[in-house]
Amino acid sequence: MLCKVYCACCNGLEVTTVTVEVNVTDGIQFHLVGLPDSAVKESQQRIESALSSNGFRFPGKRITINLAPANIRKEGSSFDVPLAIGILCASGQLGDEVTARLKDFLILGELALDGTLREIPGALPIIIHAKQQGFKGCVLPSSSAIEGAEIDGVTIYAADSFKDVIEILGSDIYASSKIVTAANIGELEEEAGEECPDYDFSQVKGQAFAKRGMEIAAAGGHNILLSGSPGSGKTFLAKCLRGILPPMTKEEAIQTSNIYSIAGLLAAESGKEHHRGGLLRNRPFRSPHHTITVPALIGGGSRGLPGEISLAHNGVLFCDEFAEYDRRSIEVLRQPLEDGVVQISRVKGKHFYPARFMLVAAMNPCPCGHLLEGWGRCKCSSSAILKYRSKISGPVMDRIDIQINVRPVEAQDLVFSSAGKEETSAAVAERVRRARQIQYRRYMSAGEKFFTNAAITPAKIDTYCKLPFGQNAVMKALVQKKGISARGYTRILKIARTIADLEGSESVAMAHIAEALNLRCPDKDEIV
């Protein structure tokens, strides 16, 4: 008897429906074809034990299983359950009613030897794929099913064991108690931003200029570089950024959660306070160590998994001690910073992952770090300083919108208490939220595919970042004087647009451009 069960496999973020074709005939053999990897081939032993533990038998006949399409490699243990269901239906151990309903379901899960189900990676993109392909339901392990709680248009069933799967397929009454819903999960847009009590702007003494730069960067999604002496507060400022970023929109949350699901990290996020199941709420904040390898940063490996830059999609990639990173690791950031996407090419195929992130980098201005202190404490030679700075190439620097020199905290600010005087992250976050809403409404109403000022395409610069009337000659002189590149010029205009949005201004004024220039172009003798 021939039976078909439907499941899916992920190739990066691309999901393909896999048809498990099972044929049971006379004989004693087991054939599994369709480009399965070792984990799929080993499923026979897990299935035999699980069936025996749940009152079924593994048929002692000739079993031929094909995983179609046969030209796509199938990896992982998530095929265990559909293979087991197919074997039972093809051998007549499940009723015709169950067999007839298989066409309506996408079924996945790994089997333990006692028949319990273990979580699988990539559940969220698979659920979205099931919705797009018109399946009525998805049957998944409970820990994986929760990932799709907020996806409408497809019914998701959570199973803890193989018996649960059988009962879900055979009984509508039983299945209703296993449906995963978005109950008790509020709308993403109504959620507050992530609270970071240990890192609040009110705890930062002085550094008004740097805090202003961080606010503008957060409001427009701009990349920012903080260069300054050790202990000046660069790392603390960067970590305070988490408390002022607005929560993701539902569309952004789905994009980012898809990446975490593929990497097998979305379920782990559910243990955090800000995540109650379903989609990620707050923007990711990834902080890789400076010894990170290129594949770990950009993505890859034998399975082509996403790297840190994709895990930071719609959020922040914080690179502390930026000049200590391997030069190759820094250089691979060039294209993602410009295009917002990364392509990973391997022997098994190509994987495309989104990588639209805010780069927040912190570094010292010289090997000893004291160059900007101004009282002769720095003893680094000119050649040592040049070698240190050359780790970060001109093209990379040109892609960093805001470049701030963070000077040591003034003694007055450091010694005397400023409790209650410094602005809190909550106050800054409210301004950032309003600026982001202005941008979202502006670009949504115009039908654009971007929603932050930092992502404005070159073709739209003149539309959204027009120079003040009659100021073309002034800007021409400034560009020539500062030696600003074409990319740098457009980024200055984007920063000015963000400053205008923070002030609630419909148009960009010369004061906004002046502040943007100050943030983009510090004094030439101090540029890192």
Side-chain angles (χ1 to χ4, degrees):
M1 178 179 177
L2 177 64
C3 176
K4 294 183 179 181
V5 186
Y6 298 95
C7 55
C9 67
C10 298
N11 180 24
L13 289 176
E14 183 181 344
V15 182
T16 303
T17 301
V18 175
T19 303
V20 178
E21 302 171 333
V22 183
N23 190 27
V24 177
T25 57
D26 292 336
I28 304 178
Q29 281 181 314
F30 184 88
H31 296 289
L32 180 57
V33 297
L35 281 183
D37 72 347
S38 297
V40 181
K41 292 176 181 177
E42 291 171 353
S43 63
Q44 179 183 357
Q45 285 70 39
R46 293 191 294 271
I47 292 170
E48 284 187 24
S49 178
L51 293 183
S52 177
S53 299
N54 286 271
F56 298 100
R57 60 180 176 79
F58 193 88
K61 293 190 175 184
R62 179 188 177 93
I63 302 173
T64 304
I65 302 175
N66 179 42
L67 304 177
N71 63 327
I72 297 177
R73 188 163 184 80
K74 318 320 185 286
E75 298 179 335
S77 55
S78 58
F79 299 96
D80 289 0
V81 174
L83 288 173
I85 294 293
I87 290 171
L88 291 183
C89 288
S91 60
Q93 297 183 63
L94 296 180
D96 293 339
E97 182 182 352
V98 173
T99 304
R101 296 184 67 189
L102 290 178
K103 67 180 184 301
D104 297 327
F105 291 91
L106 210 59
I107 306 170
L108 289 104
E110 176 186 338
L111 283 172
L113 296 184
D114 62 355
T116 56
L117 268 59
R118 296 194 174 105
E119 67 182 65
I120 61 169
L124 180 58
I126 287 170
I127 291 169
I128 295 172
H129 175 77
K131 173 186 174 181
Q132 295 169 343
Q133 296 300 311
F135 286 95
K136 294 181 180 179
C138 279
V139 182
L140 300 166
S142 296
S143 54
S144 300
I146 191 65
E147 294 184 12
E150 294 169 78
I151 304 301
D152 301 321
V154 61
T155 305
I156 305 165
Y157 298 91
D160 295 314
S161 66
F162 186 67
K163 279 189 175 180
D164 287 346
V165 177
I166 300 298
E167 291 172 331
I168 288 170
L169 295 173
S171 170
D172 289 331
I173 297 175
Y174 177 84
S176 63
S177 65
K178 292 293 183 178
I179 295 176
V180 176
T181 66
N184 301 320
I185 298 180
E187 290 294 325
L188 293 179
E189 291 79 4
E190 298 177 2
E191 293 286 333
E194 183 175 5
E195 294 184 4
C196 302
D198 293 333
Y199 299 97
D200 194 283
F201 275 123
S202 63
Q203 300 163 5
V204 180
K205 299 188 176 184
Q207 304 297 10
F209 183 67
K211 285 192 280 189
R212 172 66 173 169
M214 295 299 288
E215 177 182 343
I216 294 169
H222 302 287
N223 303 319
I224 183 170
L225 172 66
L226 302 173
S227 173
S229 304
S232 58
K234 305 183 298 295
T235 302
F236 197 94
L237 281 164
K239 291 183 177 180
C240 286
L241 190 64
R242 303 180 71 170
I244 66 172
L245 288 172
M248 292 185 283
T249 64
K250 188 167 185 176
E251 182 182 354
E252 289 176 324
I254 291 173
Q255 293 173 357
T256 305
S257 298
N258 267 336
I259 298 168
Y260 275 74
S261 181
I262 289 292
L265 300 175
L266 187 54
E269 291 291 310
S270 62
K272 297 184 178 180
E273 291 182 5
H274 67 275
H275 182 58
R276 297 171 296 177
L279 305 176
L280 293 176
R281 290 288 187 284
N282 292 296
R283 298 182 184 277
F285 188 94
R286 306 296 297 185
S287 182
H289 192 262
H290 65 261
T291 57
I292 189 171
T293 62
V294 170
L297 183 64
I298 208 78
S302 59
R303 294 173 55 197
L305 293 178
E308 289 292 331
I309 64 170
S310 294
L311 294 172
H313 181 61
N314 289 321
V316 175
L317 179 69
F318 175 45
C319 296
D320 203 3
E321 302 298 342
F322 197 40
E324 298 298 333
Y325 278 71
D326 181 76
R327 186 179 177 89
R328 288 184 63 241
S329 298
I330 296 174
E331 290 302 308
V332 297
L333 295 175
R334 282 197 198 183
Q335 287 173 287
L337 283 173
E338 195 73 20
D339 303 331
V341 67
V342 60
Q343 174 184 318
I344 303 169
S345 298
R346 295 293 183 269
V347 174
K348 296 179 182 179
K350 293 181 180 179
H351 307 276
F352 293 87
Y353 292 110
R356 181 71 66 184
F357 57 90
M358 271 181 65
L359 174 65
V360 179
M363 61 177 287
N364 296 328
C366 65
C368 76
H370 302 294
L371 181 65
L372 300 180
E373 294 181 6
W375 53 78
R377 190 175 176 186
C378 176
K379 304 299 181 184
C380 300
S381 65
S382 299
S383 60
I385 294 173
L386 182 62
K387 181 180 179 181
Y388 184 77
R389 291 178 175 180
S390 65
K391 290 282 291 292
I392 306 169
S393 65
V396 173
M397 286 292 291
D398 207 32
R399 287 167 168 81
I400 301 177
D401 306 26
I402 299 173
Q403 301 168 19
I404 294 177
N405 292 317
V406 184
R407 297 187 176 278
V409 182
E410 296 290 340
Q412 174 75 16
D413 297 326
L414 188 62
V415 175
F416 292 95
S417 175
S418 59
K421 298 179 182 178
E422 299 289 351
E423 195 172 31
T424 64
S425 287
V428 179
E430 179 59 25
R431 292 197 297 271
V432 170
R433 183 188 65 81
R434 287 199 300 265
R436 286 280 183 121
Q437 284 181 341
I438 290 171
Q439 294 166 59
Y440 186 82
R441 287 194 295 266
R442 179 196 300 135
Y443 302 131
M444 175 64 78
S445 63
E448 304 290 1
K449 295 182 179 179
F450 52 84
F451 302 106
T452 60
N453 291 331
I456 297 174
T457 58
K460 299 292 183 177
I461 288 291
D462 291 338
T463 303
Y464 299 113
C465 306
K466 277 186 178 180
L467 284 174
F469 180 75
Q471 298 299 324
N472 297 68
V474 176
M475 278 302 296
K476 176 185 175 183
L478 286 171
V479 169
Q480 290 176 334
K481 180 181 177 182
K482 295 283 188 178
I484 299 170
S485 68
R487 182 188 289 114
Y489 172 67
T490 59
R491 291 184 183 248
I492 287 169
L493 294 180
K494 293 178 185 180
I495 297 168
R497 177 69 266 175
T498 299
I499 296 170
D501 289 337
L502 281 167
E503 295 182 0
S505 175
E506 289 290 334
S507 59
V508 175
M510 204 61 204
H512 305 144
I513 292 176
E515 185 176 4
L517 271 166
N518 201 25
L519 290 166
R520 170 78 183 181
C521 305
D523 294 337
K524 283 292 182 183
D525 60 340
E526 295 180 354
I527 287 182
V528 178

